[in-house]
């Protein structure tokens, strides 16, 4: 039995009740039944609009967000030269995955869980700082890699990275760009076709798409990536981009009849389809505006409690606790989670507090989050006037 919980962290976010309804009211069927196939075809078309792309190879990979990343990164083969930009927990995990895939057999055998891969360069950007175009330009000019990788939004530290600068540097130095869009797709309003040097993108179902952690992870591949894959192949079956695309009826770059690849869930198809309908019905541009609007309200409220905000994402506030509470971040988060208020600490040093607003885009929801966080801080003897904080929040909304 799972109680009702306010998911107020970096993700997963609270799933829309309409999505849950489609999940549990779907009839019993197999994954190749005609209505399921129709749902997949419609979802594929909607997903192209969500990504802002004409890429034929745009589809969902069954599983968690990392399923999509693994599908994208499967194009990297042992010996490939790669530059990876890391500025938080999740780009760090991406970097480890890339080292595993690019390592030769000797490097992998020497340390199978953390291979030190000579042909992979990890560019570490300090926690709390963004990857800039200048950082990317310098590294690609020096190392001349085949592939370059960056997270668009890094939820480990709450930082937005410079995807335009990344694209420009990849184009200039002939690198094939790969982008982790796990935290940005469905939140920021952007079209991936405006970044032609990025040949593949991978996202997740649990953040901007808001469709449970286990449905479909969106991916999109440019034609040049698929052509390279045809020439070289990759060492996976389950997450093979071309074989996965066939299951969605994408064959030789054309839309056709889906073919069997591996068993998918008809219930997940229905939920994913509804989540995409909700997002597009809301409007990508409007959602991006609303995230920025409500994040500003949350940011101002926690700053009024004495916290220091270090993030620049619009779906997440990452903060340092004030004064004598510094160092108590994990205790504060644990106390909140005991009350089914699901905020998170950062998962790597320095330890900070992360409060997210995924699917909480209204005044009542933000007021609830601020009130709960204020109560938790006051229980730990923080010094501020809650009534004044809540009044300031109300004034923000009435003035805007």
């Amino acid at each position: 039995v799972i109680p009702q919980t306010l998911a107020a962290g970096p993700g997963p976010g609270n799933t829309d009740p309409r999505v849950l309804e489609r999940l549990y009211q779907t009839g019993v069927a197999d994954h190749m039944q005609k209505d399921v196939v129709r749902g997949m075809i419609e979802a594929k078309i909607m997903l192209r609009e969500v990504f802002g792309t004409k890429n034929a190879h745009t589809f969902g990979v069954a599983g968690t967000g990392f399923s999509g990343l693994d599908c994208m990164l499967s194009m990297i083969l042992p010996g490939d030269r790669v530059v990876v930009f890391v500025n938080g927990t999740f780009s760090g995990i991406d970097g480890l995955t890339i080292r595993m895939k690019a390592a030769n057999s000797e490097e992998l055998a020497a340390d199978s869980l953390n291979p030190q891969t000579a042909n992979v360069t990890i560019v570490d950007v300090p926690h709390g700082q963004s990857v800039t175009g200048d950082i990317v330009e310098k590294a690609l000019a020096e190392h001349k890699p085949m592939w370059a990788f960056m997270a668009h939004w890094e939820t480990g530290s709450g930082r937005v990275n410079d995807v335009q600068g990344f694209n420009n540097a990849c184009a200039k130095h002939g690198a094939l760009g790969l982008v982790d869009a796990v935290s940005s797709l469905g939140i920021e309003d952007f079209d991936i076709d405006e970044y032609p040097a990025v040949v593949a993108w991978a996202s997740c179902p649990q953040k901007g798409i808001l469709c449970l952690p286990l449905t479909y992870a969106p991916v999109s591949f440019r034609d040049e990536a698929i052509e390279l894959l045809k020439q070289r192949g990759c060492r996976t079956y389950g997450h093979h981009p071309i074989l996965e695309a066939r299951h969605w009826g994408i064959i030789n770059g054309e839309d056709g009849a889906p073919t069997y690849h591996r068993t998918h869930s008809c219930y997940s198809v229905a939920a994913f389809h509804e989540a995409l309908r909700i997002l597009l019905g809301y409007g990508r541009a409007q959602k991006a505006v609303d995230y920025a609007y409500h994040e500003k309200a949350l940011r101002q409220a926690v700053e009024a409690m004495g916290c220091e905000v270090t993030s620049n994402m619009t779906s997440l506030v990452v903060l340092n606790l004030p004064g004598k509470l510094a160092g108590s971040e994990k205790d504060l988060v644990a106390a909140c989670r005991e009350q089914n208020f699901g905020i998170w600490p950062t998962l790597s040093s320095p330890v900070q507090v992360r409060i997210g607003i995924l699917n909480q885009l209204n005044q009542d929801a933000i007021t609830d989050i601020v009130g709960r966080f204020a109560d938790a801080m006051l229980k730990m003897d923080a010094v501020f006037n809650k009534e004044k904080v809540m009044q300031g929040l109300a004034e923000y909304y009435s003035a805007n």
Side-chain angles (χ1 to χ4, degrees):
V1 177
I2 301 174
Q4 192 74 18
T5 302
L6 173 57
N14 286 119
T15 303
D16 193 292
R18 280 175 52 185
V19 174
L20 293 175
E21 182 179 310
R22 296 285 14 108
L23 184 76
Y24 67 71
Q25 289 190 359
T26 294
V28 177
D30 66 43
H31 65 296
M32 298 301 287
Q33 190 267 351
K34 63 182 180 65
D35 296 298
V36 178
V37 170
R38 176 177 63 85
M40 293 181 72
I41 291 171
E42 292 174 357
K44 169 184 64 178
I45 294 168
M46 287 190 285
L47 195 55
R48 290 172 186 164
E49 186 175 347
V50 169
F51 266 117
T53 186
K54 295 180 180 178
N55 291 347
H57 286 83
T58 301
F59 53 90
V61 182
T64 66
F66 207 83
S67 301
L69 285 162
D70 192 62
C71 181
M72 178 178 74
L73 299 178
S74 71
M75 296 190 296
I76 298 173
L77 297 181
D80 286 356
R81 185 173 294 278
V82 192
V83 170
V84 181
F85 299 91
V86 172
N87 67 321
T89 304
F90 300 101
S91 51
I93 295 173
D94 293 335
L96 172 58
T97 305
I98 289 170
R99 286 189 281 119
M100 289 177 167
K101 292 183 181 297
N104 61 37
S105 56
E106 291 78 13
E107 290 167 335
L108 198 59
D111 189 348
S112 62
L113 298 181
N114 187 28
Q116 302 308 303
T117 314
N119 45 298
V120 176
T121 300
I122 303 293
V123 179
D124 284 308
V125 177
H127 180 97
Q129 296 183 26
S130 298
V131 179
T132 65
D134 289 341
I135 291 173
V136 179
E137 164 65 28
K138 181 179 178 181
L140 299 193
E142 178 181 354
H143 298 287
K144 301 293 184 183
M146 175 181 181
W147 305 98
F149 173 89
M150 185 184 75
H152 187 189
W153 288 16
E154 168 56 82
T155 36
S157 54
R159 298 299 301 182
V160 175
N161 295 324
D162 182 2
V163 70
Q164 184 66 64
F166 178 81
N167 173 83
N168 295 349
C170 287
K172 180 178 178 180
H173 298 286
L176 300 170
L178 305 172
V179 168
D180 172 344
V182 162
S183 299
S184 58
L185 186 69
I187 298 173
E188 182 176 329
D189 185 22
F190 63 99
D191 292 340
I192 65 172
D193 282 356
E194 294 181 359
Y195 309 100
V198 179
V199 300
W201 301 71
S203 189
C204 79
Q206 69 199 53
K207 295 187 179 179
I209 302 298
L210 287 162
C211 187
L212 310 174
L214 282 165
T215 50
Y216 289 99
V219 294
S220 187
F221 298 86
R222 290 181 64 86
D223 289 345
E224 46 264 57
I226 296 299
E227 288 304 314
L228 179 65
L229 188 59
K230 287 179 181 178
Q231 297 167 19
R232 304 200 314 159
C234 64
R235 289 179 167 85
T236 182
Y237 175 84
H239 287 166
H240 195 299
I242 294 174
L243 299 182
E244 281 280 307
R246 288 178 180 176
H247 190 84
W248 292 81
I250 305 165
I251 301 172
N252 295 325
E254 301 289 339
D255 289 323
T259 61
Y260 178 77
H261 169 48
R262 60 189 176 103
T263 302
H264 289 216
S265 165
C266 62
Y267 316 106
S268 294
V269 170
F272 187 58
H273 185 281
E274 188 69 7
L276 294 172
R277 277 170 29 90
I278 291 171
L279 173 57
L280 292 175
Y282 195 115
R284 293 189 325 164
Q286 186 60 53
K287 180 153 279 194
V289 168
D290 288 354
Y291 268 112
Y293 171 67
H294 291 292
E295 185 274 344
K296 185 177 180 181
L298 176 60
R299 173 185 294 260
Q300 290 182 358
V302 298
E303 288 177 340
M305 300 179 205
C307 300
E308 177 195 15
V309 176
T310 62
S311 55
N312 65 350
M313 287 173 52
T314 58
S315 62
L316 179 69
V317 167
V318 182
L319 58 90
N320 296 318
L321 294 178
K324 64 180 181 180
L325 293 189
S328 302
E329 290 80 8
K330 289 186 177 180
D331 293 336
L332 176 65
V333 168
C336 289
R337 297 185 69 84
E338 280 293 315
Q339 301 300 315
N340 292 325
F341 176 40
I343 64 174
W344 282 75
T346 51
L347 301 180
S348 55
S349 296
V351 179
Q352 297 177 283
V353 175
R354 295 184 291 168
I355 309 174
I357 60 171
L358 293 169
N359 214 22
Q360 304 296 316
L361 300 182
N362 60 76
Q363 182 178 349
D364 288 346
I366 301 301
T367 301
D368 184 25
I369 290 171
V370 170
R372 293 191 193 206
F373 187 66
D375 288 341
M377 288 187 63
L378 290 171
K379 284 182 180 179
M380 297 186 70
D381 297 326
V383 179
F384 62 87
N385 186 321
K386 179 185 175 182
E387 184 178 344
K388 186 175 180 180
V389 170
M390 303 309 292
Q391 180 62 33
L393 182 64
E395 289 174 356
Y396 170 85
Y397 281 110
S398 63
N400 293 279

